[in-house]
Amino acid sequence: MTSASTSKGAPLPLRRWILDLSATAVLMAVALLGFWPSFAGPSFLGAALGGMLLGLAIAAVCMWRRWGILIIAGLTIAAYFLFGGALALPHTALAGFVPTIETLKSLALGAVTSWKQLLTTVAPVSAADGHLVVPFIVALVATVTTASLALRLRQVWWALIPAASALILVIALGVPDPAFPLVQGVIFAAVTAVWMSLRVWWAPQNSAVDVSEVDPTRASHMRTRRLLGGVAVLAVAGIAGAGLGAVAQPAEPRHVFRDAIVPPFNIRDYPSPLQAFRKNVRDQVDKTLFTVTGLPEGARVRLAAMDDWDGVVYNVTDGGPGTSSAFTPLRSNMAAGVEGKQASLRFDIGDYSGVWVPGTATEDLVAFDGARADELRRSGYHNSATGTTVVTAGLRKGDTYRVDAVFPKIPTDEELGDTPIVKMRLPELHNVPEELSTLAAETVTDAKTPIAQVRALETYLSKKGFFSHGLGAQAHLSRAGHGAERITTLIGGTQMVGDDEQYAVTMALMAREIGIPARVVMGYYPKKDSKTGNVFKVTGDDVHAWVEVNFAGYGWLPFDPTPPEDQVPQDQNTKPRVDPKPQVLQPPPPPQEPVDLPPTVPDDRQPEDDTPNILAIIGAILAIGGVSLLVLLILSSPFIVIGAWKASRRRARRNAERTADRISGGWDELTDRAIDYGARLAPGGTRVEEAATVSAALALPAATALADRADDQVFGPDDPSQEEVDAFWAEVDALVGGLGQEAGFWKRTKARLSLRSLTGGGRVAARLQELKDAAAARVRREPGNIDSKTTRSESETS
């Protein structure tokens, strides 16, 4: 048995059981609180708190029975499989708590795979998807380890290692946005400090005389001073931490494991579905692509949402998190917090094939059925920013799946009123025809509100244009495609002729040119006069493309710039207008003056400047340096407080009003430093007794002579002179300096940061006795007192 372990023959006192188990429970609860953002609420608390209580029970029973590590490990594994079904996987257990074969299998696999599933699922995750296994394992294992080490070892440091590791692990497994950083940090630090202090206070080997053996009044003073010292340090650290959290919020979110997990899927590996728009209406016009059951009236089936245009194809962004290409594995509860009409839809795939999954804008759950259910589920990914889903395995005839969806209410223009458009960052467009910018500006000149501007663009295209799929006799009027050349032909001809593919792209580009973020969506919806009822059989003739704009508080709203299908071009105006090219030798047309542009069109484009902004760089460097210094100052604040406290006490002793008190203060300074270096002084001891303890503990024989000298000068007939005070303090400083020279660096640092001398350590009783003796000496030195003549000789004799 090592010195750090408890004695087998001496059972732990009840207060030790209560302290260690309570501190472990609080520290683990604080650490597990970090799962809150990952689950978007308290749904994980049952698994986490259940695992923590099981861990405390296992550690306590094994300590009570004196069982070793093998039994502890066995009981932990047994508790994991026995209670894991009820706490982490209730949907697999019989009656919600009796483990089944599926429960045991899921728990066995979850111990290895649940970590990856949690990190590769977009947050917030759902408890119903089996993600509760992670907080249950962390709580159970970390609590067993922390409580066992705390109960079995004298040094509490060892128990803090697994507790701090659990806190760090929960943060790393979480999301970039912290849960309750200030609460977690302050409570964890405060409980740790109090726990360590009480363990040291209660340890019998840490003081020469038990506090219980001291006079109750003296013991009360000692406890009060220790308590006030600890509270002061904790208060300064807590206030400093709160101040740091208020003024030094990070500009970027913290990095967690989730940031390093890259889903093995890139939507850019597949062509844009908008490229196949004309194929739908040409080759699949009479084919049943899929059947939707339960689609509400007026709702649309969504296929893909695209926000990037390179002059040739409208596609999804090749970006990171939050963009149209950021797909993450399927999960449940994907529409958490969305309000609207809820519906459950069933999709039966016919002649449709591809990776894009027909669905709705706000999907809460996608559940596959049939023989390929597992394959489709494992290869399924969802993008909550665009409301689209893909399966890399590809849909084919015979596949079925269920979609639980939410359909938010579409507001009217009156309800929108002056609602602003959400300014968001979309990919930069390339090769946009110049005519679009001028046309967009002229179209929205009289529009005063954001919704009026969007409606102006929609109305212009739907009223001024003509509809044609470019099939049959009108094939030459409406060519397929939506590249820059096709869009230029659309708006530059005598008549605008096209279908959803061209009009949706044109409106999105026009909106982007005047600073309105917009995207193109491709999907399906029935004609207004069709009688689909509860079942909608989707054919190629039902394919559409529309534009979406994000309004604050309402989300992405649809707009249809395509003219009605009965608004066909006239035969006498079928030839496109040909603009003659200018001669080469002719001067270019004069540049358009800025004043000619409509005043209502915002121009957010900034001139490119490759010159580095020196002031911004210097400011960033100074800001980083200042924040770093502030962080270092906050972290070192408790140590600064300790050093300042000791310096203040030394200055008060050195500058006391009476020179005798300065001598007494010098001796107190020596004994305080001796206590910091490990000497244990008995409460109420005289200077001679303290000198004997210091000499024996620190090999400092000169302390005995200095104690005699201090008694002579304090209790002598005359107050000591200032020269005697200076000489005494010089000798004290020399002895203290000798202690530091003989000790190593770490021991000196530990002594300088020690709180033992600041929290009493027997100084109260000794000081009271000294004050009584000094008062008696002053009485004897009063003129006319016969004892004043014999005090010196008696002192010398003594």
Side-chain angles (χ1 to χ4, degrees):
M1 182 67 68
T2 62
S3 59
S5 61
T6 58
S7 174
K8 290 186 178 182
L12 292 179
L14 179 60
R15 64 181 183 182
R16 171 75 178 276
W17 283 91
I18 297 176
L19 172 64
D20 290 346
L21 294 178
S22 300
T24 300
V26 174
L27 292 182
M28 293 310 305
V30 170
L32 295 170
L33 194 62
F35 281 117
W36 191 286
S38 297
F39 289 85
S43 60
F44 72 98
L45 289 179
L49 295 180
M52 184 182 71
L53 294 177
L54 287 173
L56 293 175
I58 292 173
V61 170
C62 291
M63 177 60 186
W64 172 54
R65 301 298 300 173
R66 300 294 179 179
W67 288 336
I69 186 173
L70 294 179
I71 298 181
I72 295 176
L75 289 177
T76 303
I77 296 174
Y80 173 70
F81 284 100
L82 185 60
F83 296 95
L87 296 175
L89 299 172
H91 58 282
T92 65
L94 185 62
F97 64 92
V98 179
T100 62
I101 299 298
E102 182 184 357
T103 302
L104 299 178
K105 178 182 177 181
S106 300
L107 289 172
L109 294 176
V112 179
T113 62
S114 59
W115 314 91
K116 178 183 177 181
Q117 293 174 357
L118 178 67
L119 294 176
T120 56
T121 302
V122 64
V125 299
S126 173
D129 291 341
H131 297 299
L132 292 178
V133 173
V134 173
F136 178 62
I137 293 178
V138 173
L140 178 62
V141 176
T143 304
V144 167
T145 308
T146 302
S148 297
L149 292 176
L151 292 172
R152 293 168 181 266
L153 301 179
R154 289 198 182 106
Q155 298 296 331
V156 76
W157 286 102
W158 297 104
L160 294 176
I161 295 177
S165 300
L167 176 63
I168 296 173
L169 179 61
V170 171
I171 293 175
L173 293 174
V175 296
D177 296 329
F180 310 97
L182 184 60
V183 175
Q184 283 184 293
V186 171
I187 294 181
F188 196 94
V191 172
T192 299
V194 172
W195 190 12
M196 294 174 59
S197 301
L198 291 177
R199 284 287 297 272
V200 172
W201 189 8
W202 290 347
Q205 68 273 19
N206 285 330
S207 60
V209 177
D210 192 350
V211 175
S212 60
E213 299 177 359
V214 185
D215 181 75
T217 304
R218 300 175 182 175
S220 176
H221 283 294
M222 293 165 58
R223 293 191 180 95
T224 301
R225 298 220 13 208
R226 291 180 179 180
L227 180 61
L228 291 178
V231 169
V233 173
L234 290 177
V236 171
I239 295 173
L244 177 62
V247 304
Q249 290 289 341
E252 297 181 357
R254 61 183 178 183
H255 295 285
V256 294
F257 287 161
R258 191 180 299 272
D259 298 332
I261 303 298
V262 180
F265 167 72
N266 184 7
I267 190 60
R268 299 278 292 192
D269 294 338
Y270 303 91
S272 168
L274 197 59
Q275 292 177 275
F277 185 90
R278 192 61 61 88
K279 178 183 177 181
N280 279 260
V281 297
R282 184 186 68 234
D283 302 335
Q284 299 174 327
V285 62
D286 296 325
K287 296 181 179 180
T288 301
L289 302 179
F290 55 88
T291 302
V292 187
T293 304
L295 185 69
E297 184 178 357
R300 305 184 181 196
V301 176
R302 192 184 197 83
L303 193 65
M306 297 146 285
D307 52 13
D308 188 17
W309 194 67
D310 58 3
V312 179
V313 177
Y314 228 106
N315 205 348
V316 296
T317 305
D318 188 9
T323 65
S324 59
S325 62
F327 285 81
T328 55
L330 286 175
R331 60 185 178 88
S332 61
N333 198 28
M334 294 185 294
V338 179
E339 297 181 356
K341 181 180 180 181
Q342 298 182 355
S344 182
L345 315 180
R346 178 181 174 83
F347 288 79
D348 295 280
I349 303 299
D351 291 324
Y352 175 83
S353 62
V355 298
W356 294 92
V357 179
T360 62
T362 308
E363 298 174 340
D364 193 58
L365 173 68
V366 178
F368 294 96
D369 300 325
R372 303 180 64 222
D374 290 339
E375 179 185 3
L376 295 175
R377 179 182 55 81
R378 288 195 300 267
S379 64
Y381 297 87
H382 181 75
N383 188 317
S384 57
T386 59
T388 53
T389 303
V390 296
V391 288
T392 57
L395 293 175
R396 59 174 181 248
K397 192 170 185 177
D399 292 333
T400 60
Y401 56 93
R402 175 175 58 89
V403 175
D404 293 341
V406 179
F407 295 89
K409 178 185 177 182
I410 303 298
T412 63
D413 291 2
E414 290 75 16
E415 291 174 338
L416 287 173
D418 296 332
T419 302
I421 295 172
V422 177
K423 297 298 182 181
M424 56 190 309
R425 188 174 183 179
L426 293 179
E428 182 181 357
L429 302 179
H430 301 280
N431 303 320
V432 179
E434 296 181 1
E435 298 88 338
L436 279 180
S437 179
T438 303
L439 180 60
E442 294 174 350
T443 303
V444 301
T445 299
D446 298 329
K448 304 303 181 183
T449 62
I451 182 59
Q453 291 183 339
V454 179
R455 290 296 185 196
L457 298 177
E458 178 191 41
T459 303
Y460 174 82
L461 295 175
S462 63
K463 298 297 184 183
K464 299 291 185 180
F466 297 93
F467 181 87
S468 173
H469 281 313
L471 303 176
Q474 295 183 342
H476 64 287
L477 299 179
S478 178
R479 294 181 289 111
H482 53 272
E485 183 274 334
R486 180 66 181 91
I487 301 304
T488 302
T489 303
L490 177 72
I491 64 175
T494 303
Q495 295 181 115
M496 289 190 297
V497 182
D499 57 11
D500 301 56
E501 179 184 5
Q502 291 81 41
Y503 285 107
V505 171
T506 301
M507 178 180 172
L509 295 177
M510 292 174 66
R512 296 285 299 278
E513 284 298 295
I514 59 174
I516 298 177
R519 65 190 185 192
V520 176
V521 181
M522 179 178 170
Y524 306 87
Y525 56 83
K527 295 179 175 57
K528 294 182 179 179
D529 56 351
S530 63
K531 304 297 183 181
T532 60
N534 191 44
V535 179
F536 174 32
K537 293 184 177 181
V538 179
T539 65
D541 193 40
D542 297 314
V543 67
H544 292 281
W546 60 89
V547 177
E548 288 185 342
V549 179
N550 192 359
F551 283 83
Y554 294 96
W556 293 91
L557 301 181
F559 297 88
D560 298 298
T562 306
E565 293 188 9
D566 57 358
Q567 191 170 312
V568 296
Q570 303 300 318
D571 293 338
Q572 64 270 23
N573 295 322
T574 57
K575 294 184 179 180
R577 183 182 61 192
V578 179
D579 293 332
K581 301 294 182 181
Q583 298 296 327
V584 177
L585 298 179
Q586 291 180 355
Q592 189 175 10
E593 295 294 333
V595 295
D596 294 335
L597 294 176
T600 59
V601 180
D603 186 8
D604 297 332
R605 294 172 291 185
Q606 299 295 332
E608 295 184 358
D609 187 5
D610 296 332
T611 304
N613 192 338
I614 302 300
L615 294 179
I617 296 175
I618 295 176
I621 294 175
L622 293 177
I624 294 173
V627 172
S628 301
L629 291 176
L630 181 60
V631 171
L632 293 176
L633 179 62
I634 296 303
L635 294 177
S636 59
S637 60
F639 310 120
I640 296 175
V641 170
I642 294 173
W645 193 350
K646 291 183 178 181
S648 176
R649 289 180 50 160
R650 173 186 170 87
R651 185 165 53 253
R653 291 165 174 171
R654 186 70 185 267
N655 299 325
E657 182 178 357
R658 298 177 61 253
T659 54
D661 292 338
R662 298 174 191 174
I663 295 293
S664 177
W667 176 257
D668 291 342
E669 189 70 19
L670 174 63
T671 55
D672 280 353
R673 301 292 76 77
I675 290 173
D676 289 338
Y677 276 99
R680 296 168 182 162
L681 303 183
T686 63
R687 290 193 182 91
V688 175
E689 293 171 343
E690 291 179 344
T693 303
V694 171
S695 299
L698 303 177
L700 202 67
T704 302
L706 191 64
D708 293 337
R709 181 176 170 186
D711 284 341
D712 291 343
Q713 293 179 345
V714 170
F715 301 120
D718 299 318
D719 286 338
S721 63
Q722 184 59 41
E723 291 75 11
E724 291 175 324
V725 172
D726 293 340
F728 185 86
W729 272 90
E731 191 169 350
V732 168
D733 292 338
L735 292 178
V736 172
L739 289 175
Q741 292 177 356
E742 296 178 1
F745 172 78
W746 293 111
K747 190 172 182 180
R748 287 199 306 272
T749 303
K750 181 180 179 181
R752 290 170 182 171
L753 301 179
S754 175
L755 290 172
R756 295 182 62 206
S757 61
L758 297 175
T759 56
R763 185 68 60 201
V764 174
R767 184 59 175 163
L768 290 175
Q769 185 63 37
E770 175 188 310
L771 291 175
K772 292 170 63 177
D773 295 342
R778 286 196 298 271
V779 172
R780 290 195 298 270
R781 287 198 294 265
E782 290 293 334
N785 194 325
I786 58 175
D787 292 338
S788 62
K789 299 179 181 180
T790 61
T791 300
R792 170 66 68 176
S793 60
E794 290 178 355
S795 176
E796 293 176 353
T797 302
S798 175

